[in-house]
Amino acid sequence: MNRRRFLGVGASVLGAGALAAVAGPAAARLFAEGHPGRLLSSGLDLPEPFQVPLPVPAVLQPVRTDATADYYEITQRVAELEILPGVRTEAWTYGGTFPGPTVVTRSGRAAVVKHRNELPVPSVVHLHGGHTPADSDGYPVDLLLPVGSSSAGQRAAGMPGMSDMPGMAGMGHEAGRTAEGERTHTYPGKQRAATLWYHDHRMGFTGPGVWRGLAGFHLVHDDEESALPLPRGDRDLPLMLADRSFTEDGSFRYPAIDEDLASPGVTDDYMNGVLGDVILVNGAPWPRLDVDRARYRLRLLNASNARPYRLRLDPQPSGGDALVQIGSDGGLLAAPIAHDVLEIAPAERFDIVVDFSRYAPGTSVRLLNLFGSGRTAEVMRFDVSGKKVGDDSTVPDELSAVEELDASAVDVTRKFVFRRSGSYGWTINGDLYRPGRDLARPALGSTERWRFTSDLHHPVHVHLNQFQVLSRNGRDPGPYDGGWKDTVDLRPAEAVEVLVRFTDYQGTYMMHCHNLEHEDMAMMADFTVQ
């Protein structure tokens, strides 16, 4: 990435104060609310909303089990999918579908997942939110090469250009654990019930990899969750929110510098993030779902590259408090929190319960995105049935015994500044990412206070361990910061402090911005647990 290309971002990366001077108070307010990126328009007529039934990703069945583990196999391959009605789209997929199949596991049992790469490019699989040994975490240069990629030249494919960026030397395949054709990831299951997801994490190419379809759910259950009278079965729904754009022929449209993805990066206008003009839920555009007059558990995942959502039901039920949050990234909250609106940044997950019995039979309830405009202001629709059904589910006043980390017992306090630095790239503490260079070396078993500060909007993700938000801008945590988190929404000119305890596994892990265009432009950092 050269200086001209980075400076081409222009007003999209100005600070809030500078933006106010240039574009007036309305633009400054929009920016301050945390809207990154630039809209990428599709080149074909878009379908009318609420015509397509909501699909639910299939649950992946284990190929075998033993006393302690379940074994799964996933083939990464190109598939022709009908995402827009009547239009064929070539996607990169896990198992031939977008989203990929849902992996369902049990706390205390290992999940052993073998991936086979039949894509035209290398890949890296990261279990987002997984408490995982380092060799299965999905370090960004732990390449899984396509089947048949055995020559030295093919080994290095996928990394060209990155070493040309200042400070980016050493990015070749030698920095990681390269495998050919197949790789097995072992997830020991030493974590509580939670909504996780898996996605591509190849360095420099996470944005286009996820955009083209490499994402799926991984759900963990445990005895504590199973004992609660929460909605289950067909009323426990994973919902993957993702925006995309399409070309005239139905292909995914993405503003890569190199259409063949031999060199990383996006064109000037999209360096602060790519926003699509089609809102997909579980891979379907603006779908609809017939629901009973009963409670539903909705596992919301923002799998967009850069788009944040502010979600609201329309109409609101009488009395409000329509969205009852029961869980966050790392599983159940201690007690439910009722919201009228819910803000969800890229990579965050929120488990919510919606009671559709509060609506009259025949009501159509839209899920809106108040951060959107035009077509992106709508997400999906729920059509409430008129028939009587039984519903023995409830939301208890107490959900889980959540341990609260002790802020007075921290071993180390560290500061991490997420910002554009100089003329070159997105940085953490002024450094562009380089594999093998640590920004922290926490001790196994220690608890640390990490302070994140920002220039612009950066959803910050930490691998290995969930954390707890201690404060936001020197005050109490925000309304969406509760529970165990692995991704925190850092808005422009904010400071967020979190407590993180390092348990079970030593080795090198990462933190990074989960605006995938920022991530691909070097806003990542290593830390090594000793």
Side-chain angles (χ1 to χ4, degrees), residues 253-474:
R253 185 182 182 196
Y254 186 79
I257 288 174
D258 182 349
E259 292 184 0
D260 295 327
L261 298 183
S263 298
V266 291
T267 56
D268 292 356
D269 290 343
Y270 296 94
M271 291 177 66
N272 196 26
V274 182
L275 308 180
D277 61 355
V278 177
I279 304 298
L280 304 176
V281 184
N282 292 349
W286 300 287
R288 59 175 174 80
L289 176 68
D290 294 329
V291 295
D292 298 326
R293 297 187 67 236
R295 294 179 185 86
Y296 281 71
R297 178 178 181 172
L298 307 179
R299 299 173 181 261
L300 298 171
L301 157 65
N302 183 353
S304 298
N305 280 32
R307 180 184 293 279
Y309 297 83
R310 182 174 170 84
L311 301 174
R312 182 182 186 274
L313 294 180
D314 179 44
Q316 287 274 290
S318 177
D321 292 343
L323 309 174
V324 179
Q325 183 187 353
I326 60 170
S328 188
D329 302 336
L332 292 171
L333 303 178
I337 302 173
H339 303 282
D340 288 322
V341 296
L342 187 67
E343 294 183 13
I344 179 169
E348 284 189 301
R349 286 91 65 211
F350 289 92
D351 279 10
I352 63 170
V353 173
V354 175
D355 186 357
F356 289 104
S357 71
R358 299 174 67 188
Y359 290 98
T363 303
S364 289
V365 183
R366 295 182 302 160
L367 182 62
L368 302 180
N369 171 29
L370 302 184
F371 279 159
S373 61
R375 298 295 297 275
T376 64
E378 294 181 309
V379 178
M380 66 175 294
R381 192 179 77 189
F382 302 94
D383 294 329
V384 181
S385 169
K387 66 180 180 181
K388 293 183 178 181
V389 296
D391 181 15
D392 59 359
S393 69
T394 61
V395 178
D397 293 336
E398 297 181 4
L399 295 168
S400 177
V402 177
E403 178 187 5
E404 185 173 339
L405 297 181
D406 184 359
S408 67
V410 299
D411 299 279
V412 177
T413 296
R414 304 184 194 270
K415 298 179 181 179
F416 301 99
V417 180
F418 289 73
R419 64 184 176 91
R420 171 195 164 185
S421 185
S423 303
Y424 299 112
W426 300 103
T427 67
I428 301 177
N429 288 356
D431 288 329
L432 298 161
Y433 179 61
R434 187 174 69 209
R437 179 177 60 193
D438 291 327
L439 261 64
R441 297 183 66 84
L444 185 67
S446 66
T447 298
E448 296 194 353
R449 182 199 308 255
W450 286 8
R451 178 179 173 86
F452 304 131
T453 59
S454 66
D455 56 351
L456 305 181
H457 183 276
H458 301 296
V460 176
H461 172 48
V462 177
H463 289 213
L464 176 61
N465 284 102
Q466 305 285 337
F467 54 76
Q468 293 177 356
V469 178
L470 181 63
S471 67
R472 186 176 285 272
N473 299 323

Side-chain angles (χ1 to χ4, degrees), residues 161-317:
M162 300 298 281
S163 59
D164 295 332
M165 297 174 67
M168 301 291 274
M171 283 217 168
H173 66 279
E174 296 86 357
R177 296 167 284 251
T178 300
E180 297 172 6
E182 296 181 346
R183 167 175 273 139
T184 297
H185 297 259
T186 300
Y187 308 125
K190 292 183 177 181
Q191 60 188 113
R192 60 206 295 263
T195 300
L196 314 180
W197 63 303
Y198 61 101
H199 62 79
D200 189 41
H201 207 282
R202 178 164 66 110
M203 192 173 58
F205 299 92
T206 299
V210 173
W211 188 271
R212 292 191 179 201
L214 292 174
F217 281 99
H218 184 123
L219 308 182
V220 182
H221 297 296
D222 65 13
D223 292 343
E224 181 186 48
E225 177 198 56
S226 297
L228 297 175
L230 298 170
R232 62 189 66 223
D234 292 342
R235 296 177 188 162
D236 181 352
L237 293 170
L239 299 179
M240 179 185 288
L241 280 55
D243 57 339
R244 298 291 187 267
S245 300
F246 298 83
T247 65
E248 292 83 352
D249 65 3
S251 303
F252 284 124
R253 185 182 182 196
Y254 186 79
I257 288 174
D258 182 349
E259 292 184 0
D260 295 327
L261 298 183
S263 298
V266 291
T267 56
D268 292 356
D269 290 343
Y270 296 94
M271 291 177 66
N272 196 26
V274 182
L275 308 180
D277 61 355
V278 177
I279 304 298
L280 304 176
V281 184
N282 292 349
W286 300 287
R288 59 175 174 80
L289 176 68
D290 294 329
V291 295
D292 298 326
R293 297 187 67 236
R295 294 179 185 86
Y296 281 71
R297 178 178 181 172
L298 307 179
R299 299 173 181 261
L300 298 171
L301 157 65
N302 183 353
S304 298
N305 280 32
R307 180 184 293 279
Y309 297 83
R310 182 174 170 84
L311 301 174
R312 182 182 186 274
L313 294 180
D314 179 44
Q316 287 274 290

